[in-house]
Amino acid sequence: MKIAIVGSGYVGLVTGACFAEVGHEVVCIDNDDRKIKALRSGRIPIYEPGLEQLVQRNVSAHRLSFTGSIEEGVDSSPVIFIAVPTPPQADGSVDMTYIERVAREIASVLKEYRVIVDKSTVPVKTGEKVADTIRRYNKVNGEFDVVSNPEFLREGCAVADLMKPDRIVIGSNSERALAIMKRVYEPFMTPIMVTDVNSAELIKHAANSFLALKISYINALSAICEACEASGADVEKVADGIGADKRIGRSFLNAGLGYGGSCFPKDIAAFISISEQIGEPFHLLREVQRINQHQRERFLKKVRDTLWVLKEKRIAVWGLTFKPDTDDVRSSVAVDLVNDLIREGAHVTAYDPKGNQKVHEFNLCPGVHLASSALDAVRDAETLVLATEWPDFAAVDLAEVHRRMHTPIVFDGRNLFDPDTMRDLGFQYYRVGRPPTKANGSGLSNNDPVRIPIAMESRTTPVQDSSNRPVTKRPRYLAKASASKTSVDRS
Ligand code: UGA
């Protein structure tokens, strides 16, 4: 089936490549000439595991092409997806300029029946507005239906999420449009949930808000666990304990520095704004936002309280992207944290496996020094902060990290490392929602004076596994294979 996708950003490109992979003939449209040129010459503007190969394979098979012309896409395809950005405005509401412009452009070239599918994340009732706009600007009374088909892709595993989705939601008030949409999704062999257009639009905002709520819930619990440090309450055990209940589920209960990225912060703000506009303010979501902001502030306070003064401290930060397996640094908590540290006068050296370039290109952390490797970043550092849980960091030789640091203090903002290993290696180790660990193995109060092991040369034997790698905790998203009895249903 021929499919046109307007917008070749993150969602549009991944969707287009996956549709082509299952046999559809897809044309991806974008008004950015440079992007179209790059895509035509095989260059992918974003990093997403598996995407480059997918695009190359389908371009070679002539199932995927790129153009700057909406007319070309509308003329050739019975179904046109809109996947353009819906950025936030200063008051949290959604800027609908791009969607409205695409609706007008489609209207100006629409001649015969087409299904217009809204894939961008939009406020409820957007479908009605898109339909009104097309009717208003189309001169030939062309037939069409507007459908809502929200996406649930996570960056870093977007290709897998699209190829094997949990569910496909299609909001349509027309049987004719629904029949076409079913043909689009037939090859994915996944249950399709059919709703009206407004419900489908709401499902997307409700899903993201609920996931953010889970994260804030566990982060609020992590504060309680830290406050109970004398009893050693551990937020991960609490998460395992409640997550084992199928009604709750373990995924999205990983405590850390809070959520970031281009979706959750924007979508929660948008949903709050929408709820206020329709006169039913969603107060709970304001609390979700507040906890998220407070989580980073609490973490920073822990660093400050431990080091006493941040000014002139040499601090290494591992991680800049908003999550692992992406180069996306938009609304990244790691970037915010680096800027907080710099504002307090610290000398920050940061490293990210994929995020360095974008932080440099957009000057997101003025004053930061970007290192060329994780080990390079910790040279002579007085503290290491882990801000993004890249698997690469779990594989670093921690004994070498210890050797290179001036004072071996680690603040783990994503609970990546194994506390016993850190203790055995002689680190003073702070985690989120779990008791801190000091080199000799007993609990250490945040208020205890900082004690740095003196015998730096004698603490070099790492704990090793059978592959001779230093043992660190497995990143949470890789934990499935080695899950303990209590760690079921992890994301
Ligand atoms: C999110 C949703 O998960 C997708 O279903 C949705 O399609 C997408 O937004 C979107 O609206 O386009 P994404 O933002 O790519 O996907 O990434 P997530 O894996 O959801 O992570 C979001 C943030 O939450 C990250 O900063 C991550 O570190 C944080 N997080 C996630 C936690 O702090 N704890 C967790 O347990 C899980």
Side-chain angles (χ1 to χ4, degrees):
M1 182 168 191
K2 289 193 170 177
I3 297 174
I5 300 185
V6 186
S8 300
Y10 197 83
V11 172
L13 192 56
V14 174
T15 307
C18 291
F19 280 172
E21 180 71 5
V22 298
H24 295 307
E25 200 178 309
V26 182
V27 57
C28 286
I29 305 160
D30 206 284
N31 61 4
D32 180 345
D33 291 341
R34 277 190 319 174
K35 193 188 275 181
I36 292 296
K37 246 187 218 148
L39 286 166
R40 279 180 173 160
S41 65
R43 273 177 289 126
I44 309 295
I46 49 170
Y47 170 73
E48 178 64 35
L51 182 62
E52 193 167 348
Q53 299 89 307
L54 203 65
V55 169
Q56 280 165 1
R57 187 163 58 242
N58 284 286
V59 167
S60 306
H62 305 289
R63 286 192 301 261
L64 182 61
S65 60
F66 304 98
T67 178
S69 158
I70 284 202
E71 186 164 15
E72 196 181 316
V74 175
D75 276 353
S76 64
S77 316
V79 51
I80 298 126
F81 283 77
I82 304 177
V84 294
T86 47
Q89 309 197 93
D91 64 354
S93 64
V94 184
D95 177 356
M96 299 300 289
T97 327
Y98 300 102
I99 300 258
E100 196 264 354
R101 189 186 305 153
V102 171
R104 278 188 284 124
E105 285 175 8
I106 291 174
S108 69
V109 293
L110 184 138
K111 298 172 194 97
E112 51 187 328
Y113 181 75
R114 293 290 180 256
V115 180
I116 317 298
V117 189
D118 195 355
K119 210 161 204 12
S120 305
T121 302
V122 293
V124 61
K125 286 182 177 274
T126 296
E128 289 174 16
K129 295 201 170 74
V130 168
D132 286 348
T133 305
I134 296 177
R135 259 190 298 274
R136 198 174 310 137
Y137 285 88
N138 180 249
K139 303 275 185 233
V140 296
N141 245 343
E143 278 189 287
F144 69 93
D145 280 305
V146 174
V147 163
S148 168
N149 172 221
E151 56 84 15
F152 303 104
L153 315 178
R154 287 164 301 169
E155 293 191 23
C157 43
V159 171
D161 280 353
L162 208 143
M163 295 305 288
K164 281 194 181 303
D166 288 343
R167 80 304 205 182
I168 291 161
V169 174
I170 299 175
S172 171
N173 304 334
S174 142
E175 286 300 323
R176 188 178 180 187
L178 193 57
I180 292 179
M181 290 302 288
K182 283 185 174 165
R183 277 177 54 211
V184 170
Y185 280 108
E186 213 166 34
F188 292 91
M189 291 185 293
T190 298
I192 294 179
M193 298 181 65
V194 179
T195 69
D196 59 279
V197 175
N198 289 345
S199 299
E201 290 168 342
L202 265 175
I203 284 170
K204 176 58 195 265
H205 270 133
N208 274 6
S209 306
F210 191 78
L211 292 170
L213 182 142
K214 276 188 97 174
I215 298 169
S216 281
Y217 185 87
I218 201 68
N219 283 338
L221 265 175
S222 77
I224 291 172
C225 289
E226 282 174 32
C228 303
E229 69 180 36
S231 63
D234 179 336
V235 75
E236 294 221 342
K237 289 182 184 149
V238 177
D240 287 344
I242 60 175
D245 183 331
K246 284 195 182 71
R247 294 169 302 173
I248 297 173
R250 178 61 175 84
S251 59
F252 279 72
L253 283 180
N254 294 317
L257 286 167
Y259 61 79
S262 65
C263 302
F264 284 176
K266 162 181 89 88
D267 290 350
I268 303 334
F271 206 20
I272 290 172
S273 164
I274 293 161
S275 69
E276 284 167 359
Q277 272 169 32
I278 59 180
E280 283 297 335
F282 207 152
H283 299 299
L284 178 64
L285 295 185
R286 284 223 180 270
E287 187 57 11
V288 168
Q289 275 183 326
R290 192 200 62 77
I291 294 168
N292 199 52
Q293 173 70 23
H294 184 56
Q295 190 71 357
R296 192 181 90 235
E297 288 162 5
R298 253 177 12 88
F299 184 84
L300 187 65
K301 181 175 181 304
K302 192 162 35 173
V303 180
R304 196 190 295 117
D305 287 352
T306 309
L307 300 184
W308 188 20
V309 171
L310 288 181
K311 196 161 185 231
E312 292 176 4
K313 288 275 158 23
R314 293 181 303 279
I315 299 183
V317 176
W318 280 0
L320 290 166
T321 50
F322 86 98
K323 64 182 282 190
D325 283 322
T326 176
D327 62 350
D328 197 341
V329 288
R330 287 176 293 171
S331 302
S332 165
V333 181
V335 165
D336 290 342
L337 189 65
V338 167
N339 287 329
D340 290 340
L341 292 167
I342 291 174
R343 246 190 314 276
E344 298 219 15
H347 301 299
V348 181
T349 300
Y351 170 73
D352 188 280
K354 293 283 176 202
N356 275 18
Q357 201 191 324
K358 284 200 169 145
V359 165
H360 173 70
E361 201 179 318
F362 300 111
N363 195 22
L364 295 182
C365 302
V368 73
H369 173 74
L370 293 171
S372 56
S373 71
L375 282 176
D376 186 26
V378 295
R379 193 180 297 279
D380 214 26
E382 290 162 283
T383 285
L384 166 63
V385 172
L386 183 122
T388 314
E389 69 277 33
W390 279 91
D392 311 42
F393 298 144
V396 173
D397 179 350
L398 290 172
E400 182 58 25
V401 171
H402 195 293
R403 257 193 302 276
R404 287 181 183 218
M405 288 181 75
H406 185 265
T407 43
I409 307 172
V410 176
F411 291 89
D412 184 345
R414 298 287 174 185
N415 290 348
L416 181 70
F417 299 119
D418 174 50
D420 295 339
T421 306
M422 298 304 274
R423 183 202 51 218
D424 293 347
L425 287 170
F427 285 101
Q428 188 174 313
Y429 178 57
Y430 295 86
R431 300 154 288 174
V432 176
R434 300 162 78 187
T437 316
K438 69 172 179 176
N440 71 6
S442 58
L444 175 74
S445 153
N446 279 355
N447 299 323
D448 281 358
V450 173
R451 274 161 292 180
I452 314 300
I454 301 159
M456 305 281 260
E457 297 312 316
S458 63
R459 50 174 155 68
T460 53
T461 318
V463 180
Q464 294 195 321
D465 65 10
S466 53
S467 63
N468 279 342
R469 275 194 167 159
V471 175
T472 56
K473 200 186 110 184
R474 240 170 119 63
R476 286 186 297 269
Y477 42 88
L478 297 180
K480 253 186 191 155
S482 60
S484 70
K485 273 185 198 143
T486 52
S487 60
V488 290
D489 188 24
R490 309 192 100 178
S491 60

Coordinates of all heavy atoms in Angstrom, one line a residue, residues 10-11 121 151-157 161 167 204 208 211 215 218-219 250-264 267 322-324 331 333 389 414 476 491, ligand 1:
Y10 N 11.8 12.4 14.2 CA 12.0 11.1 15.0 C 10.9 10.1 14.7 O 11.1 9.0 14.2 CB 12.0 11.4 16.5 CG 12.5 10.3 17.2 CD1 13.9 10.2 17.3 CD2 11.7 9.4 17.7 CE1 14.4 9.1 18.0 CE2 12.2 8.3 18.4 CZ 13.5 8.2 18.5 OH 14.0 7.1 19.1
V11 N 9.6 10.6 14.9 CA 8.5 9.7 14.7 C 8.2 9.3 13.3 O 8.0 8.2 12.9 CB 7.2 10.3 15.4 CG1 6.0 9.5 15.1 CG2 7.4 10.4 16.9
T121 N 1.6 13.9 18.8 CA 0.9 14.0 20.1 C 0.1 15.3 20.2 O 0.8 16.4 20.2 CB 1.8 13.8 21.2 OG1 2.5 12.6 21.1 CG2 1.1 13.9 22.6
E151 N 1.3 7.4 18.6 CA 2.4 6.5 18.7 C 2.9 6.3 20.1 O 2.7 7.2 20.9 CB 3.5 7.1 17.8 CG 4.0 8.5 18.1 CD 5.1 8.6 19.2 OE1 5.6 7.5 19.5 OE2 5.3 9.7 19.7
F152 N 3.4 5.2 20.4 CA 3.9 4.8 21.7 C 5.4 4.4 21.7 O 5.8 3.6 22.5 CB 3.0 3.8 22.4 CG 1.6 4.1 22.4 CD1 0.7 3.5 21.5 CD2 1.1 5.0 23.3 CE1 -0.7 3.9 21.5 CE2 -0.3 5.4 23.3 CZ -1.2 4.8 22.4
L153 N 6.1 5.0 20.8 CA 7.6 4.6 20.7 C 8.4 5.2 21.8 O 8.2 6.4 22.1 CB 8.1 5.2 19.3 CG 7.4 5.0 18.1 CD1 8.1 5.7 16.9 CD2 7.2 3.5 17.8
R154 N 9.3 4.5 22.3 CA 10.3 5.0 23.2 C 11.6 5.2 22.4 O 12.1 4.3 21.7 CB 10.6 4.1 24.4 CG 9.5 4.0 25.4 CD 9.7 2.8 26.2 NE 9.7 1.6 25.4 CZ 10.1 0.4 25.8 NH1 10.5 0.2 27.0 NH2 10.0 -0.7 25.0
E155 N 12.2 6.4 22.6 CA 13.6 6.6 22.0 C 14.5 5.5 22.5 O 14.4 5.1 23.7 CB 14.1 8.0 22.3 CG 13.2 9.0 21.6 CD 13.9 10.4 21.6 OE1 15.1 10.5 21.8 OE2 13.1 11.4 21.5
G156 N 15.4 5.1 21.7 CA 16.4 4.1 22.1 C 15.9 2.7 21.8 O 16.7 1.8 21.7
C157 N 14.6 2.5 21.7 CA 14.1 1.2 21.2 C 12.9 1.4 20.3 O 11.9 0.6 20.3 CB 13.8 0.3 22.4 SG 12.9 1.0 23.8
D161 N 9.8 -1.1 19.3 CA 8.5 -0.7 19.8 C 7.5 -0.7 18.6 O 6.3 -1.0 18.7 CB 8.5 0.6 20.4 CG 9.0 0.6 21.9 OD1 9.2 -0.6 22.3 OD2 9.2 1.6 22.5
R167 N 0.0 -2.5 21.6 CA -1.3 -2.3 21.0 C -1.2 -1.2 19.9 O -0.3 -0.4 19.9 CB -2.3 -1.9 22.0 CG -2.4 -0.5 22.6 CD -1.2 0.1 23.2 NE -1.4 1.2 24.1 CZ -0.4 1.8 24.7 NH1 0.9 1.6 24.4 NH2 -0.6 2.7 25.6
K204 N -3.2 9.0 24.3 CA -1.8 9.3 24.3 C -1.4 10.2 25.5 O -0.4 9.9 26.2 CB -1.5 10.0 23.0 CG 0.0 10.5 22.8 CD 1.0 9.3 23.0 CE 2.4 9.8 23.2 NZ 3.2 9.9 22.1
N208 N 1.1 8.8 28.7 CA 2.4 9.4 29.1 C 2.3 10.0 30.5 O 3.3 9.9 31.3 CB 2.8 10.5 28.1 CG 3.6 9.9 26.9 OD1 3.7 8.7 26.8 ND2 4.1 10.8 26.0
L211 N 2.6 7.1 33.0 CA 4.0 6.6 33.1 C 4.8 7.6 34.0 O 5.6 7.2 34.8 CB 4.6 6.4 31.8 CG 4.0 5.3 30.9 CD1 4.5 5.3 29.5 CD2 4.3 3.9 31.6
I215 N 6.8 7.2 37.7 CA 8.2 7.6 38.0 C 8.2 8.5 39.2 O 9.0 8.4 40.1 CB 8.8 8.3 36.8 CG1 8.9 7.3 35.6 CG2 10.2 8.8 37.1 CD1 9.3 7.9 34.2
I218 N 7.6 6.6 42.5 CA 8.8 5.9 43.1 C 9.8 6.9 43.5 O 10.6 6.6 44.5 CB 9.3 4.9 42.0 CG1 10.1 3.8 42.8 CG2 10.2 5.5 41.0 CD1 9.4 2.9 43.7
N219 N 9.9 8.0 42.9 CA 10.9 9.0 43.3 C 10.5 9.6 44.6 O 11.4 9.9 45.5 CB 11.1 10.1 42.2 CG 12.0 9.6 41.1 OD1 12.8 8.6 41.3 ND2 11.9 10.2 39.9
R250 N 6.3 -3.7 37.4 CA 7.6 -3.2 37.9 C 8.1 -2.1 37.0 O 9.0 -1.3 37.4 CB 8.6 -4.4 38.0 CG 10.0 -4.0 38.3 CD 10.0 -3.4 39.7 NE 11.4 -3.2 40.2 CZ 12.1 -2.1 39.9 NH1 11.6 -1.2 39.1 NH2 13.3 -1.9 40.4
S251 N 7.7 -2.1 35.7 CA 8.3 -1.1 34.8 C 7.9 0.3 35.1 O 6.9 0.6 35.7 CB 7.9 -1.4 33.3 OG 6.5 -1.4 33.2
F252 N 8.8 1.2 34.8 CA 8.7 2.6 35.1 C 8.6 2.9 36.6 O 8.0 3.9 37.1 CB 7.5 3.3 34.3 CG 7.9 3.6 32.9 CD1 8.1 2.6 32.0 CD2 8.2 4.9 32.5 CE1 8.6 2.9 30.7 CE2 8.6 5.2 31.3 CZ 8.8 4.2 30.4
L253 N 9.2 2.0 37.4 CA 9.3 2.2 38.8 C 10.8 2.3 39.2 O 11.2 1.8 40.2 CB 8.6 1.1 39.6 CG 7.1 1.2 39.7 CD1 6.5 0.0 40.5 CD2 6.6 2.5 40.3
N254 N 11.6 2.8 38.3 CA 13.1 2.9 38.6 C 13.3 4.3 39.1 O 13.2 5.3 38.4 CB 13.9 2.7 37.3 CG 13.8 1.2 36.9 OD1 13.8 0.3 37.7 ND2 13.6 1.0 35.6
A255 N 13.7 4.4 40.4 CA 14.0 5.7 41.0 C 15.3 6.3 40.4 O 16.1 5.5 40.0 CB 14.1 5.6 42.5
G256 N 15.4 7.6 40.3 CA 16.6 8.2 39.7 C 16.5 9.7 39.8 O 15.9 10.2 40.8
L257 N 17.0 10.3 38.8 CA 17.1 11.8 38.8 C 15.8 12.4 38.3 O 15.7 13.6 38.2 CB 18.2 12.3 37.9 CG 19.6 12.1 38.5 CD1 20.7 12.3 37.5 CD2 19.8 13.1 39.7
G258 N 14.9 11.6 37.9 CA 13.6 12.1 37.4 C 13.5 11.9 35.9 O 14.5 11.6 35.2
Y259 N 12.3 12.2 35.3 CA 12.1 12.0 33.9 C 12.5 13.3 33.1 O 12.4 14.4 33.6 CB 10.7 11.6 33.5 CG 9.6 12.6 34.0 CD1 9.4 13.7 33.2 CD2 8.9 12.4 35.1 CE1 8.4 14.6 33.6 CE2 7.9 13.3 35.5 CZ 7.7 14.4 34.7 OH 6.7 15.3 35.1
G260 N 13.0 13.1 31.9 CA 13.3 14.2 31.0 C 12.9 13.8 29.6 O 12.0 12.9 29.4
G261 N 13.5 14.5 28.6 CA 13.2 14.1 27.2 C 12.2 15.0 26.5 O 11.7 15.9 27.2
S262 N 12.0 14.7 25.3 CA 11.1 15.6 24.5 C 9.6 15.3 24.7 O 8.8 16.0 24.1 CB 11.5 15.5 23.0 OG 11.2 14.2 22.6
C263 N 9.3 14.3 25.4 CA 7.9 13.9 25.5 C 7.3 14.1 26.9 O 6.3 14.9 27.0 CB 7.8 12.4 25.2 SG 8.4 12.0 23.5
F264 N 7.8 13.5 28.0 CA 7.1 13.5 29.3 C 6.9 15.0 29.8 O 5.8 15.4 30.1 CB 7.8 12.7 30.3 CG 7.5 11.2 30.2 CD1 8.1 10.3 31.0 CD2 6.6 10.7 29.2 CE1 7.9 8.9 30.9 CE2 6.4 9.4 29.0 CZ 7.0 8.5 29.9
D267 N 4.4 16.8 27.5 CA 3.1 16.2 27.5 C 2.4 16.4 28.8 O 1.1 16.6 28.8 CB 3.1 14.7 27.1 CG 3.5 14.5 25.6 OD1 3.5 15.5 24.9 OD2 3.8 13.4 25.2
F322 N 19.0 12.2 27.6 CA 17.9 12.1 28.6 C 17.7 10.7 29.0 O 17.0 10.4 30.0 CB 16.6 12.8 28.1 CG 15.8 11.9 27.2 CD1 14.7 11.3 27.7 CD2 16.1 11.8 25.8 CE1 13.9 10.5 26.9 CE2 15.3 11.0 25.0 CZ 14.2 10.3 25.5
K323 N 18.2 9.7 28.2 CA 18.2 8.3 28.6 C 19.2 7.6 27.7 O 19.8 8.2 26.8 CB 16.8 7.7 28.3 CG 16.4 7.8 26.8 CD 15.0 7.2 26.6 CE 14.9 5.7 26.6 NZ 13.7 5.2 26.2
P324 N 19.5 6.4 28.0 CA 20.6 5.7 27.2 C 20.1 5.4 25.8 O 18.9 5.4 25.5 CB 20.8 4.4 28.0 CG 20.1 4.5 29.3 CD 19.0 5.5 29.1
S331 N 15.6 18.5 26.9 CA 15.1 18.5 28.3 C 15.7 17.3 29.1 O 15.0 16.6 29.8 CB 13.5 18.3 28.2 OG 12.9 19.3 27.5
V333 N 17.7 15.7 32.0 CA 17.9 16.0 33.4 C 19.5 16.1 33.6 O 20.0 16.9 34.4 CB 17.3 14.9 34.3 CG1 17.6 15.3 35.8 CG2 15.8 14.8 34.1
E389 N 22.1 6.2 32.6 CA 22.5 4.8 32.8 C 22.9 4.0 31.6 O 22.3 3.0 31.2 CB 21.5 4.0 33.7 CG 20.1 3.7 33.0 CD 19.1 4.9 33.0 OE1 19.5 6.0 32.9 OE2 17.9 4.6 33.0
R414 N 21.3 7.1 38.9 CA 20.4 6.1 38.3 C 20.5 4.7 38.9 O 20.1 3.7 38.3 CB 20.7 6.1 36.8 CG 20.4 7.4 36.0 CD 18.9 7.7 35.9 NE 18.7 9.0 35.3 CZ 17.6 9.6 35.2 NH1 16.5 8.9 35.5 NH2 17.4 10.8 34.6
R476 N 19.4 -1.6 34.2 CA 18.0 -2.1 34.5 C 17.3 -2.6 33.3 O 16.7 -3.6 33.4 CB 17.2 -1.0 35.2 CG 17.6 -0.7 36.6 CD 16.6 0.3 37.2 NE 16.7 1.5 36.4 CZ 17.5 2.5 36.8 NH1 18.3 2.4 37.8 NH2 17.5 3.6 36.1
S491 N 11.3 -2.9 33.1 CA 11.4 -2.3 31.7 C 12.8 -2.3 31.2 O 13.7 -2.4 32.0 CB 10.9 -0.9 31.8 OG 11.7 -0.2 32.6
Ligands
UGA1 C1 7.9 8.1 26.1 C2 6.9 7.0 26.3 O1 7.5 5.9 27.1 C3 6.5 6.4 24.9 O2 5.6 5.4 25.1 C4 6.0 7.6 24.1 O3 5.6 7.1 22.8 C5 7.0 8.7 24.0 O4 7.4 9.1 25.3 C6 6.4 9.8 23.2 O5 5.5 10.5 23.6 O6 6.8 10.0 22.0 P1 10.6 8.3 25.7 O7 10.4 9.7 26.2 O8 11.3 8.1 24.4 O9 9.1 7.6 25.6 O10 11.4 7.5 26.8 P2 11.0 6.7 28.2 O11 11.7 5.4 28.1 O12 9.6 6.8 28.4 O13 11.8 7.7 29.3 C7 11.4 9.0 29.6 C8 12.1 9.5 30.8 O14 11.7 8.8 32.0 C9 13.6 9.3 30.7 O15 14.3 10.5 31.2 C10 13.9 8.2 31.6 O16 15.2 8.2 32.2 C11 12.9 8.4 32.7 N1 12.5 7.1 33.4 C12 11.9 6.1 32.8 C13 12.8 7.0 34.8 O17 13.3 8.0 35.4 N2 12.4 5.9 35.5 C14 11.8 4.9 34.8 O18 11.5 3.9 35.5 C15 11.6 4.9 33.5

